[in-house]
Amino acid sequence: MNILRSFQGKLLLFFLLIDVALVGFLIATVSSGAREALETASREHLRELARFASHDIDEQLQLRWALAQSLASNPFMTHGVINALGRGDPLAPLMRRLSLPGQQGRDADLWLLDARGNVIARNGPGPSVGSFADAPWWSKLRGGVPQAWVVSEEGLSRVFFAFPLLSPQDAEGVLVAGFDLSFVRGGAARQGLEVVLLDDDKPLAGTLPEQVIGELRSLDSKPGQRNTALIDGMFYLLVPVEGFAREHGFGWSLVLSVPAERISGPVEALRQRVSQVGAGAVVLVALLVAWRTRLLLRPLHQLRVSMRRIIDGGDLGERVQVQSRDELGAIAGTFNLMLERLAHRTAELERSRDHLSLLAQITSSSPNAIVMLGREGWTLVWNEAAERLFGWPRLEMLGVSFLERVVPGDARERFSALLARADEGNPVEAELSLLTWQSGTIPVQLTVSRILDAVGQVQGHVCIARDLREVKRLRESLVHSEKMAAVGTLVAGLSHELNNPLGIILGFAQGLLRRPSLDDASRKGLLTIESQTQRCARLVRTLLDFSRKSGPARERVDVASMLERVLELASGQARRGQVRLEIVELPNGLPGVEANVPEMESALLNLVGNALDATPPGGTVSVGARVTPARDGVELFVADTGSGIPPDVLQRIFDPFFTTKPVGQGTGLGLSITRSIIESHGGRIDVETAAGAGTTMRLWFPVAPVLPKEASV
């Protein structure tokens, strides 16, 4: 009785009572819960098997349907039926090799029918069928609609698919596939379960007693409804067959059954096992409590007092004063050692905190994107520059795979190779195109370095990305400048070379014009040669001006007269292309512009020629001019009714040597020279275009100053 009055006895009795109560409660709870859980798990297992079996049935049906449909839609099959002329000899070898995919697919029968429903070829020695013309589905199939149906004969159910063999207009024949449902048992049967396929109340595969079928009528196969039943010691589960069967009007259900003892037997074994373990636990706990309380209670108070001083004082220099040599003394010594190391670690943490704060500030303020990746490629650090460059916020990127989020699919293999090279020791650099949140891919200079742990193992990588968009733009600008310099040299050389033959042609033409014996037709032709040769010479001078950036002589030009001359020169091209060329009614009092007439006419003629090339026969090219609303200049325009300029072409139309015309039909210099001429006159050119709505080129020129003579008139 004295032991029961001590704290040790009370503690021992308390733990024994709790242990006994817990063991009893555990046995009752576990037994009940285990039965319920096992039944639930069994139901879920059966449902999973049923879903798997249903999916397998649907997959087999879909696979057979798809292959049969593919065979029926094969032009070779259609042409074969047409060429067979009702005889199966040409197609018999092919049909004998055909089978349906999936389980027991080689046991399926395939018939090839002509347009009257007669069998002209088949793949095996199945039931003999001469014609399907009297089948109830024949009329629907002749309408071009594939059919699926089930036939039960002498206790055997078979599924049939029929597909019309369509030529562009008519059904030239029919492909019929038939197979039994022996594949239904599948994986569920291998688990020792009985599997039956029902069509309403009629078994299609497998057998069920009539009493069981009557009981199953009360079940609902819909998800979430009561679809299990215990009948004569057997556990039944009813589930619908979804997918293909529902789509083609088959009201199929799948029934899985298992003996009920397979569910209840493990519960009884578990109850006995829990009882044995509980009894042993009671004895073990009693022994442990008696032993440990005896050792712990004596120095416990001293340990508590020492620890309280440490807690209240907050001084890590305080030590626990326990002199015993038992486990409690060892715990006290370990606790004192822990305090020493904790004080040391605290000092190190203070120093590390300052160092980490400095590193964080350096990383945060870096102008380059800094990303640290873990061993598995997860993002661990994402600085502010990375947010600005790629667009994704830091919290959204932490813990996300950098490879999947930022690296495009075609660059992932190269990025992985960079990580592997960095693992060898030295940092690696490469130019890559990486993904951003809103700007698509951008070029970056990527530097990858490895991160090692204390033992020298690779723990991750640091990636530093520098935006190369501005660098690439400057590089392209430099290349373009060098190209333009080369173009200028080429144009200057070609212009000098062209001047000599043009001078000879002009001289001969002018010499022939001086002969008094020329008839009118020859004189008119020579005048045309002289005019066009002079025009070519002016174009050569324009090229020289374009390359030298020289300013040609200018005069006041009447816009209306200039437009009429341009249209007269382009009228021949318009007639050849069957395009209407017109001048929009010009406003009265249209002011003149100060320009070099040959250059201006050449520029306008180039724009009109391009508009005529872009306009289909029957279209219209309109030319006109007006005073701008601010009355600060004159606007000329050339509009066509063509198909418009695509966006990728629009941004390059003024580049030298860029053309969309076939080789030999354009040099790509026309619009470049035109823009140079317009800008040299202090004007500008704008393009308005839309897909299918044509293109309008608008030219703005400042109004020519009024001469004193004109002002006095």
Side-chain angles (χ1 to χ4, degrees), residues 146-203:
Q147 299 293 313
W149 69 97
V150 179
V151 176
S152 297
E153 296 178 354
E154 299 178 357
L156 178 64
S157 297
R158 289 171 61 83
V159 178
F160 289 84
F161 297 154
F163 297 90
L165 304 178
L166 297 175
S167 66
Q169 291 84 17
D170 302 306
E172 300 296 340
V174 176
L175 179 70
V176 178
F179 53 90
D180 59 31
L181 297 169
S182 57
F183 60 82
V184 167
R185 291 175 57 83
R190 290 193 294 272
Q191 306 246 349
L193 304 177
E194 290 294 328
V195 182
V196 178
L197 181 64
L198 294 180
D199 187 0
D200 293 333
D201 297 333
K202 179 177 65 178

Side-chain angles (χ1 to χ4, degrees), residues 562-590:
M562 180 174 60
L563 293 181
E564 291 177 357
R565 288 194 300 273
V566 170
L567 262 64
E568 182 180 357
L569 293 174
S571 59
Q573 181 182 353
R575 285 193 300 271
R576 289 191 299 273
Q578 300 179 10
V579 178
R580 181 183 177 188
L581 182 60
E582 63 180 8
I583 296 180
V584 179
E585 183 178 353
L586 302 176
N588 295 328
L590 187 67

Side-chain angles (χ1 to χ4, degrees), residues 44 103 157 227 234 285 348 387 427 500 522 524 560 572 646 685:
E44 291 300 323
Q103 303 170 8
S157 297
N227 58 352
M234 296 291 292
V285 168
E348 289 184 350
E387 292 185 5
N500 293 330
S522 299
K524 185 176 180 180
I685 181 170

